[in-house]
């Protein structure tokens, strides 16, 4: 099995519950390499794009609000790319099933997830489901310069001269 990349998001409930360390510790069992990491904010547009495959589901609006941080008053996620052999299966295995009540209780979602009274699966972590999703999602959440390996082909485009912010 060749090296794969997968997008991991520690969702707003994971951050609010102060689970960042616990989740990263669990993921370190995979012995995969972290090749990008940041705290990021999902705009509504980014969230809708991220969950585009679920846009016809009755819970679509709520999961968009969830990943944007509106359910937790914590408008951020931690976004990481894990890279290595069989990364997607390894990370999804550790994350556990989508429904946290059905997830293996020793998995990340089984340990820390819950179903809210309004029916949202709050499952603390996102892991890309397959290689095509991983590529699509990584390109949504990260720019090439933010990743320390070359995952996908890039191109140079002539930018309009623009101001960049630097430390004063
Ligand atoms: P995944 O995160 O395990 O890949 P997806 O089907 O891609 O599962 O769903 C994205 C997210 O939407 C889930 O992680 C969960 O937070 C939420 N979700 C999925 N299915 C349901 C459902 O049936 N009810 C409520 N929330 C759901
Ligand atoms: Mg998914």
């Amino acid at each position: 099995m060749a090296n794969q990349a997968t997008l991991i998001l520690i969702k707003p409930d994971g951050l609010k519950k102060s689970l960042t360390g616990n989740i990263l510790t669990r993921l370190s069992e995979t012995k995969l390499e972290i090749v990008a990491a940041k705290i990021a904010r999902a705009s509504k547009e980014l969230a809708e794009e991220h969950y585009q495959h679920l846009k016809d589901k009755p819970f679509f609006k709520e999961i968009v609000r969830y990943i944007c941080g509106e359910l937790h008053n914590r408008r951020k996620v931690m976004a990481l790319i894990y890279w290595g052999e069989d990364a997607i299966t390894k990370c999804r295995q550790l994350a556990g099933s989508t429904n946290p009540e059905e997830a293996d209780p020793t998995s990340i979602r089984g340990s820390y997830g819950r179903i809210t009274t309004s029916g949202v699966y709050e499952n603390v972590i996102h892991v890309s489901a397959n290689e095509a999703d991983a590529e699509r999602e990584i390109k949504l959440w990260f720019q090439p310069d933010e990743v320390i390996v070359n995952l996908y082909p890039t191109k140079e485009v002539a930018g309009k001269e623009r101001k960049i912010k630097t430390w004063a």
Side-chain angles (χ1 to χ4, degrees), residues 53 92 126-127 129:
H53 62 296
R92 288 206 50 111
H126 168 82
V127 183

Side-chain angles (χ1 to χ4, degrees), residues 9 25 29 54 74 85 95-96 103 137 143 147 149 151 160 162:
L9 301 175
T25 299
E29 291 169 27
L54 299 170
R74 185 107 5 166
E85 204 181 302
E137 294 171 359
Q143 291 301 318
V147 188
V149 291
L151 295 177
K160 271 189 250 148
R162 60 186 176 95

Side-chain angles (χ1 to χ4, degrees), residues 2-16:
N3 284 335
Q4 282 180 331
T6 184
L7 178 76
I8 301 277
L9 301 175
I10 300 180
K11 297 183 181 181
D13 51 327
L15 295 180
K16 184 161 186 170

Side-chain angles (χ1 to χ4, degrees), residues 59 62-63 66 71 100 114-123:
F59 52 84
E62 278 302 285
I63 59 172
Y66 170 27
L71 305 183
R114 64 166 193 155
I115 303 180
T116 66
T117 46
S118 60
V120 181
Y121 297 173
E122 278 189 7
N123 52 15

Side-chain angles (χ1 to χ4, degrees), residues 81-137:
I81 303 173
Y82 278 73
W83 186 74
E85 204 181 302
D86 212 5
I88 294 172
T89 309
K90 283 176 180 163
C91 292
R92 288 206 50 111
Q93 190 100 39
L94 272 180
S97 303
T98 306
N99 179 338
E101 303 285 329
E102 286 172 5
D104 182 320
T106 66
S107 68
I108 295 168
R109 288 168 164 179
S111 302
Y112 303 124
R114 64 166 193 155
I115 303 180
T116 66
T117 46
S118 60
V120 181
Y121 297 173
E122 278 189 7
N123 52 15
V124 306
I125 188 174
H126 168 82
V127 183
S128 309
N130 54 57
E131 282 192 35
D133 276 2
E135 178 171 350
R136 188 180 65 78
E137 294 171 359

